[in-house]
Amino acid sequence: MAFGSAVRERRLALGLSREALAHEAGIYRSYMSSVKRGCQSVGLVLAAQIAQALDVTPAELVAKARL
């Protein structure tokens, strides 16, 4: 599973829209969409922001994505 797919799965489990997740993570919705599609690389800081918005640790997201 790719990182973007792991993010999407968790986002849906929480009932968050893409817009709400982007807002909570402090990034633009269009950038979040690029991450989900695998068009953008995700650095450690961004991965931590997304994980925090999804109420998981970055390690949990990475493990789910099998990176």
Side-chain angles (χ1 to χ4, degrees):
M1 175 182 294
F3 184 81
S5 296
V7 169
R8 181 178 187 269
E9 184 178 288
R10 178 66 179 163
R11 177 182 64 79
L12 292 176
L14 293 174
L16 290 173
S17 67
R18 287 185 297 259
E19 293 80 9
L21 174 57
H23 177 74
E24 289 296 319
I27 59 177
Y28 290 108
R29 183 195 55 78
S30 58
Y31 190 84
M32 186 74 243
S33 181
S34 295
V35 168
K36 190 252 172 211
R37 290 191 321 267
C39 298
Q40 289 289 337
S41 297
V42 179
L44 292 175
V45 173
L46 182 58
Q49 287 173 248
I50 293 170
Q52 183 176 12
L54 292 171
D55 197 31
V56 295
T57 66
E60 289 172 307
L61 270 183
V62 170
K64 184 72 171 176
R66 296 185 188 114
L67 295 178

